[in-house]
């Protein structure tokens, strides 16, 4: 479970940070995951698998470009996660 633990650690770093964190910059060591696409997928999958009370506490943004071959598709180059514990989000998370 090293990859899942690395993803959890990344989200915990986002909680402690005051700015969006780049998943590429916080990529785990190659012993845990050598493929950047798998790492980005794991970060996105963790966000998508959060329950609504947890997901509302995070902003997830993509650095992406249009796919040059398939119109309407995007290539994701990085994912940014930011903890957003505003008063509104905190109230919705508690309720």
């Amino acid at each position: 479970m090293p990859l899942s633990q690395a993803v959890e650690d990344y989200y915990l770093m986002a909680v402690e940070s005051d700015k969006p964190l780049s998943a590429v910059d916080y990529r785990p060591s190659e012993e845990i995951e050598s493929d950047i696409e798998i790492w980005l997928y794991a970060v996105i999958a963790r966000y998508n698998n959060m329950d609504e009370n947890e997901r509302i506490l995070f902003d997830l943004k993509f650095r992406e470009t249009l796919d040059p071959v398939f119109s309407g598709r995007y290539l994701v180059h990085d994912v940014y996660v930011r903890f957003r514990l505003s008063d509104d989000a905190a109230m919705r998370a508690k309720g």
Side-chain angles (χ1 to χ4, degrees):
M1 292 249 209
L3 179 59
S4 62
Q5 185 60 53
V7 171
E8 290 298 318
D9 292 346
Y10 169 72
Y11 275 90
L12 288 174
M13 284 188 273
V15 169
E16 296 172 1
S17 179
D18 60 347
K19 61 182 181 174
L21 292 183
S22 161
V24 170
D25 290 348
Y26 285 90
R27 179 179 173 188
S29 67
E30 288 201 12
E31 293 83 36
I32 295 173
E33 184 50 61
S34 61
D35 190 335
I36 188 67
E37 290 175 351
I38 292 173
W39 168 245
L40 293 176
Y41 180 81
V43 169
I44 295 165
R46 175 63 181 101
Y47 178 81
N48 288 333
N49 288 323
M50 291 177 183
D51 66 39
E52 186 61 29
N53 289 334
E54 189 178 12
R55 189 180 307 128
I56 202 163
L57 299 175
F58 295 95
D59 278 330
L60 184 110
K61 304 281 187 210
F62 300 103
R63 185 173 59 82
E64 59 194 2
T65 57
L66 280 171
D67 188 314
V69 177
F70 299 104
S71 67
R73 295 207 174 196
Y74 293 87
L75 302 174
V76 174
H77 304 282
D78 201 353
V79 176
Y80 294 86
V81 172
R82 182 179 69 88
F83 184 65
R84 61 171 176 156
L85 187 57
S86 67
D87 292 337
D88 185 45
M91 291 303 290
R92 286 186 278 168
K94 289 180 182 177

